[in-house]
Amino acid sequence: MSSAPNRLARTLAKLDAWPAAVRPMARNLALRRAVPFTGTAKLDFVRLDTEVAEIAIANRRPVQNHIGGVHAAAMGLLAETATGMVVGMNVRDDCLPLCKSMHVDFKKRASGAMRARATLSAAQRELMLAEPKGEVTVSVVVTDEAGVNPVECEFVWAWIPKTPKN
């Protein structure tokens, strides 16, 4: 795992000491508890570090549409989670990440399981560590089991200072 700039990254880095066979299950359990809706959809957190977040979703009945593919809302969740996680791995502990906008274009019918891979550039990561507020457009590629890109997505994420709780 890359350097650990914040609490989320440091917490997940602790799993590196766990046996390789149980690490993915432990990561999924921890993240699904932190973001319950990802557990409802049973997203699989394949890779998470400060540079890349790769998330998968199986084509199973609870997330299917009327034609047996992964539902459009589940595809949006998959891409939003990947972009949000890579941002979450970089945002400062004194800041709160927020999805500012999402744009999803459905291009082709999806086949089977799906995977989203979101990335941040070095410049974007440095900006997030240096500035108390700002925004980035996060690159994400969504592919299906056949290697096709059935959707094109653009997500803009912002971060703002956390407000103190009274």
Side-chain angles (χ1 to χ4, degrees):
M1 185 171 288
S2 303
S3 64
N6 64 26
R7 193 174 112 211
L8 175 61
R10 288 188 299 274
T11 299
L12 292 176
K14 292 176 185 177
L15 295 178
D16 290 343
W18 290 39
V22 297
R23 227 177 286 147
M25 183 179 62
R27 181 177 50 236
N28 282 344
L29 181 63
L31 292 167
R32 287 174 182 172
R33 289 184 71 197
V35 185
F37 193 48
T38 65
T40 299
K42 292 198 180 349
L43 296 185
D44 181 18
F45 297 86
V46 177
R47 176 180 172 187
L48 270 179
D49 58 48
T50 58
E51 298 170 6
V52 176
E54 194 168 330
I55 317 289
I57 189 168
N59 184 6
R60 51 188 199 83
R61 182 71 190 124
V63 297
Q64 286 179 342
N65 58 24
H66 62 289
I67 57 174
V70 173
H71 194 282
M75 288 184 213
L77 172 68
L78 179 67
E80 186 267 343
T81 302
T83 59
M85 282 296 167
V86 77
V87 168
M89 292 292 287
N90 287 279
V91 74
R92 295 168 15 167
D93 285 334
D94 63 342
C95 294
L96 179 68
L98 300 166
C99 185
K100 188 171 178 180
S101 70
M102 64 185 283
H103 183 90
V104 181
D105 286 326
F106 299 93
K107 300 293 186 177
K108 298 178 181 169
R109 183 175 174 173
S111 168
M114 300 192 70
R115 189 173 291 238
R117 180 183 172 92
T119 57
L120 287 176
S121 70
Q124 288 174 313
R125 296 190 312 275
E126 289 170 16
L127 180 65
M128 293 178 76
L129 291 174
E131 298 295 329
K133 78 186 253 189
E135 67 180 52
V136 291
T137 299
V138 183
S139 174
V140 61
V141 176
V142 180
T143 55
D144 67 11
E145 219 167 89
V148 172
N149 301 99
V151 297
E152 291 177 1
C153 308
E154 179 179 274
F155 286 80
V156 176
W157 281 84
W159 65 96
I160 59 172
K162 287 182 182 175
T163 55
K165 294 182 181 177
N166 295 332

